[in-house]
Amino acid sequence: MKIGILKETLDGERRVAITPNIAKQLIASGFELLAEEGAGEYSSFKDSDYKNVGVAVEKRAVIFHEAEVLLKINPFDEEDLKLVDKGQILISKLYHKSNPDLIKAIASKGVSAFSMDAIPRISRAQDMDVLSSQNNLAGYKAVILGAFEMTKIFPLMMTSAGTIAPARVLIYGIGVAGLQAIATAKRLGAIVEATDIRSETKEQAESLGAKFISVDNEGEETEGGYAKEASADYQKRQKEAVNKSLFKADLVITTANIPGRKAPILITEEQVMHMKNGAVIIDLAAAQGGNCEVSEINKTIVKNGVKVIGTSIDPRSVSTNASDLYAKNIYNYIIHLTDGTNFKWDLGEEITDETLIVQNGTIRKN
């Protein structure tokens, strides 16, 4: 079976779906691999690195024409679908719940499509979970970006000229990204506070040294391991509980995303107006509408002296590590889906059932 590695075309994307090391492992498992020219260049992988492990490096049109399985990180777009042939298998993130038109377009091509962002949160799928692996890096990078944008240092520092107080960091959302942000900020010496609708995250946050800001969450539940959209009453209570910390914070990192839906607003423009002059907000949910009311994706907006940076949960600026992790996830996923080099199509198995969005032109999941 021929697997094609496509170069990402999304503006600002620097990652690649399969790295040379993982390509070598797939070839050892019996697959034949083709990679588009320059697919890994922005992740520091040369075409020669792929050739050295047995990958055929070809032009984009050749990959689409010859590969039976096409791999990407980001969803296949309109230009991609023009080159897709009936019967091919597409594997990428699809965000099918929020992209119904894309799923219809994929189905119209008579192909099958698996969505990497639909991996269920169960223990045996952990080594395939691209959201967790990528979010881990995003949490780390958010703190580093915040440190660069701030006009203060993180740690307590005693000098002959006096003592510098530690920076105060507030983190919304204690999932994978939030936990890594807590750990990174603590290692850099900051005072860290965190909040989440899921009360069960309190122990996790505190184990990393953060103070958990408790909000009564009676009646609020989770869905499949993810936080669900909070009620208006909870949002009001959260603002009241968090405002004191928010208004004192030097750096705020928001990480709350709800699969298939617009990101919840956690910080309103009114709250931003009451924050410290010079404070920084890193909004990792900006691509889904943002957790801060004033944020915009890939833009820095200054409001009342507060710098609001809208960015993505995808850690593109650390593309080498991010590509390594994504590639390991997709290798484990492909091995799970296949027997030898043939797809099993076992729809009675949870991981296959949840991630197979389109099968031979028929939409399975909406």
Side-chain angles (χ1 to χ4, degrees):
M1 179 175 285
K2 292 184 179 180
I3 297 176
I5 307 163
L6 294 169
K7 184 174 183 178
E8 300 296 319
T9 56
L10 186 67
D11 187 36
E13 181 60 82
R14 303 178 65 83
R15 296 170 295 169
V16 63
I18 295 290
T19 60
N21 182 50
I22 296 301
K24 182 178 179 180
Q25 294 180 41
L26 284 168
I27 291 170
S29 297
F31 296 96
E32 184 177 343
L33 264 71
L34 303 87
E36 182 180 349
E37 293 174 338
E41 65 177 322
Y42 296 124
S43 296
S44 301
F45 302 117
K46 300 176 183 177
D47 286 347
S48 59
D49 295 330
Y50 287 95
K51 291 178 181 178
N52 289 340
V53 297
V55 178
V57 176
E58 303 285 358
K59 294 187 180 300
R60 189 172 184 83
V62 175
I63 305 295
F64 275 98
H65 181 67
E66 294 191 3
E68 297 161 81
V69 181
L70 296 167
L71 303 181
K72 283 187 68 179
I73 294 177
N74 297 291
F76 285 77
D77 59 27
E78 186 177 336
E79 293 303 310
D80 293 330
L81 294 179
K82 289 178 181 178
L83 299 172
V84 166
D85 291 327
K86 183 178 180 180
Q88 287 181 313
I89 298 170
L90 316 183
I91 303 179
S92 73
K93 292 189 289 185
L94 294 175
Y95 305 112
H96 64 285
K97 292 183 179 179
S98 53
N99 281 325
D101 291 341
L102 169 64
I103 302 307
K104 289 176 184 176
I106 290 173
S108 72
K109 300 295 292 188
V111 302
S112 297
F114 291 90
S115 185
M116 292 299 292
D117 60 285
I119 297 283
R121 283 206 154 178
I122 55 177
S123 58
R124 61 190 178 87
Q126 286 180 348
D127 62 0
M128 313 171 205
D129 187 353
V130 298
L131 297 183
S132 291
S133 71
Q134 302 299 289
N135 290 1
N136 210 325
L137 291 172
Y140 164 83
K141 190 62 181 182
V143 175
I144 301 304
L145 175 60
F148 177 78
E149 295 290 346
M150 288 165 55
T151 57
K152 300 178 64 176
I153 61 171
F154 273 53
L156 169 72
M157 190 173 291
M158 301 182 73
T159 75
S160 58
T163 300
I164 299 174
R168 304 186 71 93
V169 176
L170 173 61
I171 295 164
Y172 285 82
I174 310 174
V176 175
L179 287 169
Q180 184 57 246
I182 291 171
T184 304
K186 284 297 292 184
R187 283 197 297 268
L188 291 174
I191 295 172
V192 183
E193 296 179 286
T195 186
D196 195 292
I197 190 172
R198 299 163 293 183
S199 57
E200 63 267 26
T201 61
K202 179 177 186 291
E203 184 177 345
Q204 295 172 298
E206 291 178 341
S207 71
L208 293 172
K211 176 187 175 184
F212 184 80
I213 302 173
S214 296
V215 183
D216 178 20
N217 70 340
E218 185 177 352
E220 310 293 334
E221 300 173 354
T222 60
E223 295 178 343
Y226 295 92
K228 73 169 189 176
E229 190 168 3
S231 65
D233 182 56
Y234 176 87
Q235 291 176 3
K236 179 182 178 182
R237 283 182 276 121
Q238 184 186 48
K239 288 175 185 175
E240 292 171 352
V242 174
N243 273 350
K244 182 178 179 181
S245 298
L246 176 64
F247 299 158
K248 292 193 296 183
D250 299 296
L251 172 64
V252 178
I253 297 172
T254 66
T255 70
N257 274 309
I258 301 170
R261 301 182 193 174
K262 185 179 182 296
I265 297 294
L266 303 178
I267 303 173
T268 64
E269 182 173 358
E270 181 184 0
Q271 286 174 297
V272 172
M273 299 300 287
H274 287 87
M275 290 177 65
K276 288 170 59 173
N277 185 51
V280 175
I281 297 174
I282 307 293
D283 189 346
L284 288 177
Q288 282 73 49
N291 294 146
C292 179
E293 194 173 27
V294 303
S295 68
E296 295 182 37
I297 185 65
N298 297 329
K299 290 186 179 180
T300 298
I301 295 170
V302 179
K303 181 76 66 171
N304 194 39
V306 177
K307 191 181 292 185
V308 182
I309 301 172
T311 186
S312 166
I313 200 76
D314 292 327
R316 300 170 188 169
S317 61
V318 285
S319 57
T320 300
N321 295 132
S323 297
D324 279 334
L325 294 180
Y326 188 97
K328 289 173 184 174
N329 291 145
I330 207 165
Y331 168 81
N332 292 326
Y333 182 60
I334 289 173
I335 295 302
H336 174 80
L337 292 176
T338 55
D339 182 11
T341 59
N342 296 312
F343 277 72
K344 294 182 288 189
W345 305 106
D346 183 3
L347 302 183
E349 188 276 317
E350 185 177 2
I351 298 171
T352 304
D353 178 55
E354 289 294 322
T355 56
L356 180 56
I357 310 303
V358 178
Q359 184 177 19
N360 296 322
T362 300
I363 299 173
R364 299 186 64 251
K365 303 284 183 180
N366 293 310

